[in-house]
Amino acid sequence: MIVTLHGTEGERILDLTHEQIEAIANNYFAKVTQRPERGMKFSVDAKRLNNALFEIPRTDEEQENARQIIVEALNQVKKNPEKYAKPFKTTTPCGFWPFITAGELAILAKEFGDHMADWVEQALEWAQRISNGESWQAVCNDADSNYYYRAVMWENGCVRMIGGARRVRDDSSATKMLKHDFKTDDYMGYTIPLVVMYE
């Protein structure tokens, strides 16, 4: 079967077979990047990241802040390969717990996977998105598509809120980080854990 494409004036532009159209569609959809979505698993593999993408400083402040955290995370992968170099998946649960403590979020993360992501795993997720072909703009500047903030264990042992939250009309990017540290008994509103699962 031949499909003929016509221009705006009705002129014949191109004849394609069904197989050619299928090949074009498959090639297009193979390049569409997967983004982390609530309730879905997102694959992260530190060994397959395009590290060259993170070597050059960014002129945009938000992008540069994220890049510096990613670079620090890549250094942690080198220092602790047994912890960070193995592939893992991230997810955010579909449920919602209006007000829950940071400690309860960590326990909840273990119910859905292995543990609540730490700052290195969060940064590796950002790096994976960019390595997959998402733009720096999409990851670091555009409004986060997540419905709730994500809870991530920070390097000081406290929990931080990451990203934006459509539920409260916060259009912050996925890499935006609230600098406030939450201790185990501190309540966190409109927040769900970023869960790590090993393959």
Side-chain angles (χ1 to χ4, degrees), residues 59-196:
T59 55
D60 178 271
E61 184 179 356
E62 296 297 324
Q63 295 174 18
E64 178 58 14
N65 289 340
R67 187 194 73 82
Q68 288 179 12
I69 295 170
I70 290 169
V71 168
E72 288 178 36
L74 293 172
N75 288 332
Q76 288 299 315
V77 172
K78 290 177 191 169
K79 290 178 186 174
N80 302 301
E82 67 288 341
K83 183 173 182 180
Y84 296 118
K86 58 186 172 183
F88 62 91
K89 292 187 181 350
T90 59
T91 190
T92 48
C94 285
F96 172 58
W97 302 267
F99 289 96
I100 188 168
T101 67
E104 289 168 332
L105 283 169
I107 293 167
L108 190 63
K110 289 181 181 178
E111 292 178 20
F112 285 97
D114 287 284
H115 61 271
M116 183 188 322
D118 67 20
W119 70 274
V120 174
E121 292 156 331
Q122 172 64 91
L124 292 174
E125 180 191 84
W126 300 335
Q128 187 70 64
R129 290 177 64 178
I130 294 166
S131 289
N132 286 356
E134 274 193 78
S135 69
W136 283 89
Q137 172 78 30
V139 177
C140 304
N141 302 104
D142 293 349
D144 194 348
S145 63
N146 280 291
Y147 210 57
Y148 302 108
Y149 300 107
R150 271 118 32 241
V152 170
M153 191 67 67
W154 210 247
E155 58 191 330
N156 61 5
C158 293
V159 175
R160 287 203 179 165
M161 291 168 68
I162 306 291
R166 288 176 32 213
R167 175 68 173 82
V168 292
R169 295 191 174 121
D170 181 346
D171 290 333
S172 297
S173 73
T175 60
K176 186 72 174 181
M177 173 184 47
L178 183 65
K179 302 234 189 238
H180 178 78
D181 291 328
F182 291 87
K183 296 187 170 106
T184 304
D185 294 331
D186 292 339
Y187 280 89
M188 301 180 75
Y190 300 100
T191 306
I192 55 178
L194 179 62
V195 178
V196 168

